[in-house]
Amino acid sequence: MTGAKTAVEWLASVAPDPEACRWEWERHPQGVALLPAGRAWDVLILPGRLGRPTLDVLTRVLDQPGPVLVDFGDARTGFLVPPGTAARWLGTGIRTAGAGTWIVVPYPGRTTGGVRWLVPPDGSGTLTDPALLELAMHEAAAGLAAGEAG
């Protein structure tokens, strides 16, 4: 299977009806579907100002971070992390999506008018380690603070 096809299967597997999910992706004008968080992944949602610098730090230390979403106007960046992370997260200013929540997910490999993948899923199930993500956020925040102070 190609990466995009494998990613579609991986993402759709969490839907209550995977076939309906694929149908929604194919027919929805924006190419998005609502998927439940908390099954195969949770999402940590950072403010856009912190999200991109955090991703930059992660990509310096990891060959391949887990999937990363960004919303309209880059206002928020969502990192897919292991299930259960949202329930344990204590960080201030970070939104979480875990069990009992739903997120808008674009079809992998297609450009949409709103939510899009910065790092698309590859279908392998790779997720970002939350401890590593937290360290990257601290480094990114320190860099932003130093830039404002200078």
Side-chain angles (χ1 to χ4, degrees):
M1 277 201 249
T2 65
K5 183 170 175 50
T6 306
V8 167
E9 296 303 318
W10 178 69
L11 289 168
S13 72
V14 303
D17 182 346
E19 195 57 41
C21 174
R22 287 187 289 276
W23 186 91
E24 180 75 13
W25 265 327
E26 292 170 8
R27 287 163 184 79
H28 192 282
Q30 279 93 30
V32 298
L34 280 174
L35 292 178
R39 292 183 181 177
W41 33 261
D42 284 356
V43 185
L44 295 182
I45 306 163
L46 284 59
R49 185 166 181 269
L50 181 59
R52 289 283 184 138
T54 297
L55 180 58
D56 290 345
V57 171
L58 278 175
T59 56
R60 285 196 311 260
V61 297
L62 292 174
D63 290 333
Q64 179 67 31
V68 180
L69 290 164
V70 68
D71 74 353
F72 315 99
D74 295 356
R76 286 175 290 280
T77 306
F79 292 82
L80 274 65
V81 294
T85 301
R88 295 185 305 273
W89 191 260
L90 300 174
T92 304
I94 307 302
R95 293 182 184 181
T96 62
T101 62
W102 294 72
I103 64 165
V104 174
V105 177
Y107 187 91
R110 278 193 207 144
T111 303
T112 66
V115 178
R116 65 190 188 285
W117 293 105
L118 287 178
V119 178
D122 61 9
S124 70
T126 298
L127 299 169
T128 297
D129 179 296
L132 191 55
L133 178 60
E134 183 176 14
L135 291 172
M137 285 189 296
H138 286 291
E139 185 173 327
L144 290 170
E148 291 172 358

